[in-house]
Every structure is written in C-alpha cells, then in structure tokens.
Short mmCIF file of all heavy atoms in Angstrom, two decimals:
data_model
loop_
_atom_site.label_atom_id
_atom_site.label_comp_id
_atom_site.label_asym_id
_atom_site.label_seq_id
_atom_site.Cartn_x
_atom_site.Cartn_y
_atom_site.Cartn_z
N ALA A 1 106.25 110.40 77.53
CA ALA A 1 107.40 110.21 76.63
C ALA A 1 108.47 109.31 77.22
O ALA A 1 109.40 108.93 76.52
CB ALA A 1 108.01 111.56 76.26
N VAL A 2 108.37 108.98 78.49
CA VAL A 2 109.34 108.10 79.15
C VAL A 2 108.90 106.66 78.93
O VAL A 2 107.81 106.26 79.33
CB VAL A 2 109.43 108.42 80.65
CG1 VAL A 2 110.43 107.50 81.32
CG2 VAL A 2 109.82 109.87 80.87
N SER A 3 109.75 105.91 78.25
CA SER A 3 109.44 104.51 77.98
C SER A 3 109.99 103.64 79.09
O SER A 3 111.15 103.76 79.48
CB SER A 3 110.04 104.09 76.63
OG SER A 3 111.44 104.30 76.62
N VAL A 4 109.15 102.74 79.64
CA VAL A 4 109.50 101.88 80.76
C VAL A 4 109.30 100.44 80.34
O VAL A 4 108.31 100.11 79.66
CB VAL A 4 108.65 102.21 82.01
CG1 VAL A 4 109.07 101.34 83.19
CG2 VAL A 4 108.79 103.68 82.37
N TYR A 5 110.23 99.59 80.73
CA TYR A 5 110.12 98.17 80.43
C TYR A 5 109.03 97.54 81.29
O TYR A 5 108.96 97.78 82.50
CB TYR A 5 111.46 97.49 80.70
CG TYR A 5 111.42 95.98 80.65
CD1 TYR A 5 111.39 95.31 79.44
CD2 TYR A 5 111.39 95.24 81.82
CE1 TYR A 5 111.34 93.93 79.40
CE2 TYR A 5 111.35 93.86 81.78
CZ TYR A 5 111.33 93.21 80.57
OH TYR A 5 111.27 91.84 80.54
N ARG A 6 108.20 96.74 80.67
CA ARG A 6 107.13 96.05 81.37
C ARG A 6 107.45 94.57 81.45
O ARG A 6 107.73 93.93 80.44
CB ARG A 6 105.79 96.25 80.64
CG ARG A 6 105.35 97.71 80.56
CD ARG A 6 105.18 98.32 81.92
NE ARG A 6 104.78 99.71 81.85
CZ ARG A 6 104.64 100.51 82.92
NH1 ARG A 6 104.89 100.04 84.12
NH2 ARG A 6 104.28 101.77 82.77
N ASN A 7 107.41 94.04 82.67
CA ASN A 7 107.72 92.63 82.88
C ASN A 7 106.51 91.79 82.52
O ASN A 7 105.47 91.89 83.19
CB ASN A 7 108.12 92.40 84.34
CG ASN A 7 108.69 91.03 84.57
OD1 ASN A 7 108.82 90.23 83.64
ND2 ASN A 7 109.07 90.73 85.80
N PRO A 8 106.57 90.95 81.49
CA PRO A 8 105.38 90.18 81.11
C PRO A 8 105.04 89.07 82.08
O PRO A 8 103.90 88.62 82.14
CB PRO A 8 105.76 89.63 79.73
CG PRO A 8 107.25 89.53 79.76
CD PRO A 8 107.71 90.69 80.60
N ALA A 9 105.99 88.61 82.86
CA ALA A 9 105.76 87.50 83.79
C ALA A 9 105.75 88.01 85.21
O ALA A 9 106.60 88.82 85.60
CB ALA A 9 106.83 86.43 83.63
N ASP A 10 104.77 87.55 86.01
CA ASP A 10 104.67 87.92 87.41
C ASP A 10 105.55 86.98 88.22
O ASP A 10 105.29 85.76 88.27
CB ASP A 10 103.22 87.83 87.88
CG ASP A 10 103.04 88.35 89.29
OD1 ASP A 10 104.04 88.79 89.89
OD2 ASP A 10 101.90 88.31 89.80
N PRO A 11 106.61 87.47 88.88
CA PRO A 11 107.48 86.55 89.65
C PRO A 11 106.80 85.96 90.87
O PRO A 11 107.26 84.95 91.39
CB PRO A 11 108.66 87.44 90.03
CG PRO A 11 108.13 88.83 90.00
CD PRO A 11 107.09 88.85 88.93
N TYR A 12 105.71 86.58 91.35
CA TYR A 12 105.00 86.05 92.52
C TYR A 12 103.90 85.08 92.15
O TYR A 12 103.17 84.63 93.03
CB TYR A 12 104.40 87.22 93.31
CG TYR A 12 105.44 88.11 93.95
CD1 TYR A 12 105.38 89.49 93.78
CD2 TYR A 12 106.46 87.58 94.72
CE1 TYR A 12 106.33 90.32 94.36
CE2 TYR A 12 107.41 88.40 95.31
CZ TYR A 12 107.34 89.76 95.13
OH TYR A 12 108.28 90.56 95.70
N LEU A 13 103.77 84.75 90.86
CA LEU A 13 102.66 83.88 90.46
C LEU A 13 102.81 82.48 91.03
O LEU A 13 101.82 81.89 91.48
CB LEU A 13 102.60 83.82 88.93
CG LEU A 13 101.43 83.03 88.33
CD1 LEU A 13 100.11 83.65 88.78
CD2 LEU A 13 101.51 83.00 86.82
N SER A 14 104.01 81.95 91.07
CA SER A 14 104.21 80.60 91.61
C SER A 14 103.94 80.56 93.11
O SER A 14 103.34 79.60 93.62
CB SER A 14 105.63 80.13 91.32
OG SER A 14 106.58 81.03 91.88
N TYR A 15 104.35 81.60 93.83
CA TYR A 15 104.08 81.63 95.27
C TYR A 15 102.60 81.78 95.56
O TYR A 15 102.07 81.18 96.50
CB TYR A 15 104.86 82.79 95.91
CG TYR A 15 106.35 82.66 95.79
CD1 TYR A 15 107.04 83.34 94.79
CD2 TYR A 15 107.08 81.86 96.66
CE1 TYR A 15 108.41 83.23 94.67
CE2 TYR A 15 108.45 81.74 96.55
CZ TYR A 15 109.10 82.43 95.55
OH TYR A 15 110.46 82.32 95.44
N ARG A 16 101.93 82.57 94.74
CA ARG A 16 100.50 82.76 94.95
C ARG A 16 99.73 81.46 94.71
O ARG A 16 98.75 81.16 95.38
CB ARG A 16 99.99 83.86 94.02
CG ARG A 16 98.55 84.26 94.30
CD ARG A 16 98.06 85.33 93.33
NE ARG A 16 98.80 86.57 93.47
CZ ARG A 16 99.63 87.05 92.56
NH1 ARG A 16 99.82 86.37 91.44
NH2 ARG A 16 100.26 88.18 92.76
N ALA A 17 100.17 80.66 93.73
CA ALA A 17 99.47 79.41 93.44
C ALA A 17 99.80 78.31 94.43
O ALA A 17 98.96 77.45 94.72
CB ALA A 17 99.81 78.94 92.02
N ASP A 18 101.00 78.31 95.00
CA ASP A 18 101.42 77.22 95.89
C ASP A 18 100.96 77.44 97.32
O ASP A 18 100.32 76.57 97.93
CB ASP A 18 102.93 77.08 95.85
CG ASP A 18 103.43 76.61 94.49
OD1 ASP A 18 102.60 76.07 93.73
OD2 ASP A 18 104.62 76.79 94.20
N VAL A 19 101.25 78.59 97.88
CA VAL A 19 100.99 78.82 99.30
C VAL A 19 99.83 79.76 99.54
O VAL A 19 99.49 80.00 100.70
CB VAL A 19 102.26 79.36 100.00
CG1 VAL A 19 103.39 78.38 99.87
CG2 VAL A 19 102.67 80.70 99.40
N ASP A 20 99.23 80.28 98.48
CA ASP A 20 98.12 81.21 98.62
C ASP A 20 98.51 82.37 99.53
O ASP A 20 97.79 82.73 100.46
CB ASP A 20 96.88 80.49 99.14
CG ASP A 20 95.62 81.32 98.94
OD1 ASP A 20 95.70 82.29 98.16
OD2 ASP A 20 94.61 81.01 99.55
N TYR A 21 99.69 82.95 99.25
CA TYR A 21 100.18 84.04 100.09
C TYR A 21 99.45 85.34 99.82
O TYR A 21 99.33 86.17 100.71
CB TYR A 21 101.68 84.22 99.83
CG TYR A 21 102.33 85.23 100.77
CD1 TYR A 21 102.57 84.92 102.10
CD2 TYR A 21 102.68 86.50 100.31
CE1 TYR A 21 103.14 85.84 102.95
CE2 TYR A 21 103.26 87.42 101.14
CZ TYR A 21 103.49 87.08 102.46
OH TYR A 21 104.06 88.00 103.30
N PHE A 22 98.96 85.54 98.59
CA PHE A 22 98.20 86.74 98.25
C PHE A 22 96.81 86.33 97.84
O PHE A 22 96.63 85.36 97.08
CB PHE A 22 98.89 87.50 97.10
CG PHE A 22 100.21 88.08 97.48
CD1 PHE A 22 101.39 87.45 97.10
CD2 PHE A 22 100.30 89.24 98.23
CE1 PHE A 22 102.61 87.98 97.45
CE2 PHE A 22 101.51 89.77 98.56
CZ PHE A 22 102.68 89.15 98.19
N PRO A 23 95.77 87.01 98.20
CA PRO A 23 95.79 88.09 99.20
C PRO A 23 95.72 87.55 100.61
O PRO A 23 95.28 86.43 100.84
CB PRO A 23 94.51 88.85 98.84
CG PRO A 23 93.61 87.82 98.32
CD PRO A 23 94.45 86.83 97.59
N ILE A 24 96.13 88.34 101.59
CA ILE A 24 96.11 87.95 102.99
C ILE A 24 94.77 88.34 103.59
O ILE A 24 94.35 89.48 103.49
CB ILE A 24 97.26 88.62 103.77
CG1 ILE A 24 98.61 88.22 103.15
CG2 ILE A 24 97.22 88.25 105.23
CD1 ILE A 24 99.79 88.90 103.78
N SER A 25 94.09 87.39 104.18
CA SER A 25 92.81 87.64 104.83
C SER A 25 92.97 87.48 106.33
O SER A 25 93.40 86.42 106.82
CB SER A 25 91.74 86.66 104.31
OG SER A 25 92.13 85.34 104.55
N TRP A 26 92.67 88.52 107.07
CA TRP A 26 92.81 88.53 108.51
C TRP A 26 91.45 88.25 109.16
O TRP A 26 90.44 88.79 108.72
CB TRP A 26 93.36 89.86 109.01
CG TRP A 26 94.72 90.15 108.47
CD1 TRP A 26 95.03 90.89 107.40
CD2 TRP A 26 95.94 89.68 109.00
NE1 TRP A 26 96.37 90.95 107.18
CE2 TRP A 26 96.98 90.21 108.17
CE3 TRP A 26 96.30 88.88 110.09
CZ2 TRP A 26 98.33 89.96 108.40
CZ3 TRP A 26 97.64 88.65 110.29
CH2 TRP A 26 98.65 89.16 109.48
N LYS A 27 91.45 87.40 110.16
CA LYS A 27 90.23 87.10 110.89
C LYS A 27 90.28 87.71 112.28
O LYS A 27 91.33 87.77 112.90
CB LYS A 27 90.05 85.58 111.02
CG LYS A 27 89.87 84.90 109.68
CD LYS A 27 89.64 83.39 109.88
CE LYS A 27 89.46 82.70 108.53
NZ LYS A 27 89.26 81.24 108.70
N LYS A 28 89.13 88.12 112.74
CA LYS A 28 89.06 88.76 114.05
C LYS A 28 89.35 87.74 115.14
O LYS A 28 88.78 86.64 115.16
CB LYS A 28 87.68 89.39 114.25
CG LYS A 28 87.58 90.22 115.51
CD LYS A 28 86.22 90.87 115.62
CE LYS A 28 86.12 91.71 116.88
NZ LYS A 28 84.80 92.39 116.99
N GLY A 29 90.21 88.10 116.09
CA GLY A 29 90.54 87.22 117.21
C GLY A 29 91.77 86.39 116.99
O GLY A 29 92.21 85.70 117.93
#
C-alpha cells in the first residue's frame, strides 16, 4: 500500500557507457 516514486532514467547510464565503470571485473594478480 506504500506508493514509491520510480525514477525512469538511470543517472549512471552515461558513466557506464563512457568509462565502462559498471560492472567491475577484477583480475588475479
């Protein structure tokens, strides 16, 4: 019964497309 506002736009979308910050892949060593 609790109504919550949903953000239609992802604010991290531009960062994800430019610098490929998400997801982070760690390599051994």
Side-chain angles (χ1 to χ4, degrees):
V2 180
S3 57
V4 182
Y5 170 78
R6 299 300 179 184
N7 191 1
D10 186 1
Y12 293 130
L13 185 60
S14 59
Y15 297 98
R16 188 182 296 111
D18 294 341
V19 300
D20 196 15
Y21 186 74
F22 293 102
I24 301 176
S25 59
W26 298 96
K27 296 182 180 179
K28 187 177 180 178

